[in-house]
Amino acid sequence: MKTVGIIAEYNPFHNGHAYHIRKAKELAHADYCVVVMSGDFVQRGAPALMDKYLRAESALRNGADLVLELPVCYSISSAEHFARSSVALLDKLGVVDTLCFGSECGDIRVLTDFAQALVDESPVFKKTLDREIRIGHTYPQARNTALEASAPHLTSHINVLTTPNNILGIEYCKALLFWKSAMEPYTVKRTGSSYHDNSLDTGYCSAIAIRESIRHAGVSEELTRQIPASSLEVIKGAYGKTFPVFTDDLSLLTQYRLLSEESDGFTDYPDIDRELSDRIVKFLPQYRDFRSFCDLLKSKNRTYVRISRSLLHILLGIHRETLLQYGQEGWIFYARMLGFRESATPLLSAIKKNAGIPLLPKLADAEKQLAKTGLSMLEKDIYASHIYQSIVRSKFPDEDPLSEINEYKKPIIKI
């Protein structure tokens, strides 16, 4: 039995994602595909457009065999921690042979060479990096200069570091090296629109383009060319009932948390130093909504995305010391199932037999299977989901008024 792993957000699921799953299985000669997917909050520091169960169902309808949730403390983390934790989850299942991800360059050798150079951090690399940062260059600029000085054989490929999927792919390769994983990496060359392209004119458009189209036109006919029919069916049934959710839907809850903690400052949260904490306090009286506040706080050394992730850490109560504890004790402590294909029963049996962490089909069983640290991480996932569900309930108050905001009662998806 061969199994390929994919790390994704599916925000939302579209033709490019279906193509990736097909190609991943083909390249790896895999019988099964396991997807590690962000839950209700995603890596760019925003709520997912639609909840994790809808996105998991779309993936399962289009070739995925098992979808697991990436813990929220990592799904809204930096690219390095996002990649490292996702690879750790796949590796600890004990059955995943290969990892397949998309990239703009499509050359796994180039990506792994960059990963090795960044992991090695030769004396020349460190010296050049420190010098470039001291004279005021941003980290990406300093890193590129340091790589050119320390690994001249990579200079002709340095543009690889300018596109998002390549950068994340390198992080996946670094994570495989970090964990000394036996999983073999494969990459599928990205086709169609670029990551940031807002156009719907190509057969494989970006997730950003689809989100913007839904924001302005709802689930329009244009989307029939961009989303697999089985996924579109799911989306149409949920539109205006549980989605769409956008960043500014977090505005009031985030403002409340910021006002509640203003007197203590925010330096206990990841990526927030004294300077940023002071800026949050200083500009809090000008708070209007989530997005404009991020714009107000960003600076030369702090991007919008980095700020938005920091605000999400505050909203969801994820502290720096907690993340350090997770890292010291093993990073990942469970594999929470969001959904599976019934034909994948042999895969589930193999995971239960070989995994180094518990497979969680039911939250009710967690207390018996997890130690204190694992339960702490899971509680944050549940809290984040309840925050998301409360936003959905507030935005769509007329839908199913008797339903409960209760993650424990959410059934996993079976196809």
Side-chain angles (χ1 to χ4, degrees), residues 37 61 95 124 221 237 275 280 334-335 347 391:
M37 188 186 78
R61 285 174 177 241
V95 300
V124 172
E221 284 302 311
E275 180 187 358
I280 292 172
Y334 52 85
L347 172 66
I391 292 166

PDB file of all heavy atoms in Angstrom, residues 37 61 95 124 221 237 275 280 334-335 347 391:
ATOM      1  N   MET A  37      -5.119  19.542   6.316  1.00  0.00           N
ATOM      2  CA  MET A  37      -5.772  20.781   5.891  1.00  0.00           C
ATOM      3  C   MET A  37      -5.956  21.746   7.065  1.00  0.00           C
ATOM      4  O   MET A  37      -6.296  21.329   8.175  1.00  0.00           O
ATOM      5  CB  MET A  37      -7.134  20.459   5.273  1.00  0.00           C
ATOM      6  CG  MET A  37      -7.828  21.630   4.610  1.00  0.00           C
ATOM      7  SD  MET A  37      -9.519  21.212   4.059  1.00  0.00           S
ATOM      8  CE  MET A  37     -10.398  21.312   5.643  1.00  0.00           C
ATOM      9  N   ARG A  61     -14.584  14.420  -2.290  1.00  0.00           N
ATOM     10  CA  ARG A  61     -15.344  14.181  -3.525  1.00  0.00           C
ATOM     11  C   ARG A  61     -14.435  14.214  -4.753  1.00  0.00           C
ATOM     12  O   ARG A  61     -14.877  13.849  -5.850  1.00  0.00           O
ATOM     13  CB  ARG A  61     -16.446  15.226  -3.682  1.00  0.00           C
ATOM     14  CG  ARG A  61     -17.653  15.034  -2.778  1.00  0.00           C
ATOM     15  CD  ARG A  61     -18.613  16.205  -2.904  1.00  0.00           C
ATOM     16  NE  ARG A  61     -19.812  16.011  -2.106  1.00  0.00           N
ATOM     17  CZ  ARG A  61     -21.057  15.943  -2.611  1.00  0.00           C
ATOM     18  NH1 ARG A  61     -21.231  16.023  -3.917  1.00  0.00           N
ATOM     19  NH2 ARG A  61     -22.101  15.789  -1.830  1.00  0.00           N
ATOM     20  N   VAL A  95       2.480   5.853   7.770  1.00  0.00           N
ATOM     21  CA  VAL A  95       2.084   5.141   6.543  1.00  0.00           C
ATOM     22  C   VAL A  95       2.305   5.980   5.282  1.00  0.00           C
ATOM     23  O   VAL A  95       2.110   5.481   4.173  1.00  0.00           O
ATOM     24  CB  VAL A  95       0.590   4.728   6.595  1.00  0.00           C
ATOM     25  CG1 VAL A  95       0.329   3.802   7.771  1.00  0.00           C
ATOM     26  CG2 VAL A  95      -0.319   5.950   6.659  1.00  0.00           C
ATOM     27  N   VAL A 124      29.648  31.332   6.010  1.00  0.00           N
ATOM     28  CA  VAL A 124      29.534  32.435   5.040  1.00  0.00           C
ATOM     29  C   VAL A 124      28.085  32.917   4.969  1.00  0.00           C
ATOM     30  O   VAL A 124      27.826  34.129   4.928  1.00  0.00           O
ATOM     31  CB  VAL A 124      30.012  31.978   3.640  1.00  0.00           C
ATOM     32  CG1 VAL A 124      29.722  33.051   2.589  1.00  0.00           C
ATOM     33  CG2 VAL A 124      31.494  31.651   3.667  1.00  0.00           C
ATOM     34  N   GLU A 221     -22.319  31.968 -12.260  1.00  0.00           N
ATOM     35  CA  GLU A 221     -22.087  30.987 -13.311  1.00  0.00           C
ATOM     36  C   GLU A 221     -20.618  30.918 -13.712  1.00  0.00           C
ATOM     37  O   GLU A 221     -20.134  29.885 -14.181  1.00  0.00           O
ATOM     38  CB  GLU A 221     -22.953  31.307 -14.531  1.00  0.00           C
ATOM     39  CG  GLU A 221     -24.412  30.943 -14.357  1.00  0.00           C
ATOM     40  CD  GLU A 221     -24.629  29.462 -14.033  1.00  0.00           C
ATOM     41  OE1 GLU A 221     -24.054  28.618 -14.757  1.00  0.00           O
ATOM     42  OE2 GLU A 221     -25.315  29.165 -13.051  1.00  0.00           O
ATOM     43  N   GLY A 237     -25.233  24.660  -2.044  1.00  0.00           N
ATOM     44  CA  GLY A 237     -26.145  24.302  -0.974  1.00  0.00           C
ATOM     45  C   GLY A 237     -25.900  25.064   0.320  1.00  0.00           C
ATOM     46  O   GLY A 237     -26.822  25.245   1.128  1.00  0.00           O
ATOM     47  N   GLU A 275       7.628  46.940  20.558  1.00  0.00           N
ATOM     48  CA  GLU A 275       7.310  47.994  19.582  1.00  0.00           C
ATOM     49  C   GLU A 275       5.927  47.779  18.961  1.00  0.00           C
ATOM     50  O   GLU A 275       5.119  48.715  18.884  1.00  0.00           O
ATOM     51  CB  GLU A 275       8.373  48.026  18.478  1.00  0.00           C
ATOM     52  CG  GLU A 275       8.103  49.092  17.419  1.00  0.00           C
ATOM     53  CD  GLU A 275       9.071  49.011  16.247  1.00  0.00           C
ATOM     54  OE1 GLU A 275       9.974  48.150  16.272  1.00  0.00           O
ATOM     55  OE2 GLU A 275       8.896  49.805  15.303  1.00  0.00           O
ATOM     56  N   ILE A 280      -0.076  48.781  18.703  1.00  0.00           N
ATOM     57  CA  ILE A 280      -1.462  48.334  18.826  1.00  0.00           C
ATOM     58  C   ILE A 280      -2.206  49.216  19.819  1.00  0.00           C
ATOM     59  O   ILE A 280      -3.325  49.688  19.550  1.00  0.00           O
ATOM     60  CB  ILE A 280      -1.522  46.859  19.261  1.00  0.00           C
ATOM     61  CG1 ILE A 280      -0.991  45.950  18.146  1.00  0.00           C
ATOM     62  CG2 ILE A 280      -2.959  46.459  19.615  1.00  0.00           C
ATOM     63  CD1 ILE A 280      -0.830  44.495  18.541  1.00  0.00           C
ATOM     64  N   TYR A 334      -1.780  14.478  17.994  1.00  0.00           N
ATOM     65  CA  TYR A 334      -2.953  13.720  17.546  1.00  0.00           C
ATOM     66  C   TYR A 334      -3.195  14.023  16.075  1.00  0.00           C
ATOM     67  O   TYR A 334      -2.666  14.991  15.517  1.00  0.00           O
ATOM     68  CB  TYR A 334      -4.207  14.105  18.344  1.00  0.00           C
ATOM     69  CG  TYR A 334      -4.462  15.597  18.376  1.00  0.00           C
ATOM     70  CD1 TYR A 334      -5.151  16.229  17.344  1.00  0.00           C
ATOM     71  CD2 TYR A 334      -3.985  16.382  19.417  1.00  0.00           C
ATOM     72  CE1 TYR A 334      -5.359  17.600  17.350  1.00  0.00           C
ATOM     73  CE2 TYR A 334      -4.189  17.747  19.438  1.00  0.00           C
ATOM     74  CZ  TYR A 334      -4.880  18.359  18.397  1.00  0.00           C
ATOM     75  OH  TYR A 334      -5.075  19.709  18.405  1.00  0.00           O
ATOM     76  N   ALA A 335      -3.991  13.142  15.446  1.00  0.00           N
ATOM     77  CA  ALA A 335      -4.417  13.359  14.067  1.00  0.00           C
ATOM     78  C   ALA A 335      -5.943  13.383  14.068  1.00  0.00           C
ATOM     79  O   ALA A 335      -6.588  12.333  14.167  1.00  0.00           O
ATOM     80  CB  ALA A 335      -3.904  12.240  13.165  1.00  0.00           C
ATOM     81  N   LEU A 347      -6.594   1.996   4.821  1.00  0.00           N
ATOM     82  CA  LEU A 347      -5.681   3.084   5.200  1.00  0.00           C
ATOM     83  C   LEU A 347      -5.848   3.422   6.675  1.00  0.00           C
ATOM     84  O   LEU A 347      -4.855   3.560   7.407  1.00  0.00           O
ATOM     85  CB  LEU A 347      -5.960   4.316   4.340  1.00  0.00           C
ATOM     86  CG  LEU A 347      -5.222   5.609   4.746  1.00  0.00           C
ATOM     87  CD1 LEU A 347      -3.717   5.462   4.547  1.00  0.00           C
ATOM     88  CD2 LEU A 347      -5.752   6.797   3.933  1.00  0.00           C
ATOM     89  N   ILE A 391     -19.353  33.442  14.565  1.00  0.00           N
ATOM     90  CA  ILE A 391     -19.371  34.448  13.496  1.00  0.00           C
ATOM     91  C   ILE A 391     -20.393  34.049  12.436  1.00  0.00           C
ATOM     92  O   ILE A 391     -21.170  34.879  11.953  1.00  0.00           O
ATOM     93  CB  ILE A 391     -17.966  34.595  12.882  1.00  0.00           C
ATOM     94  CG1 ILE A 391     -17.011  35.223  13.897  1.00  0.00           C
ATOM     95  CG2 ILE A 391     -18.002  35.447  11.616  1.00  0.00           C
ATOM     96  CD1 ILE A 391     -15.552  35.098  13.519  1.00  0.00           C
TER      97      ILE A 391
END
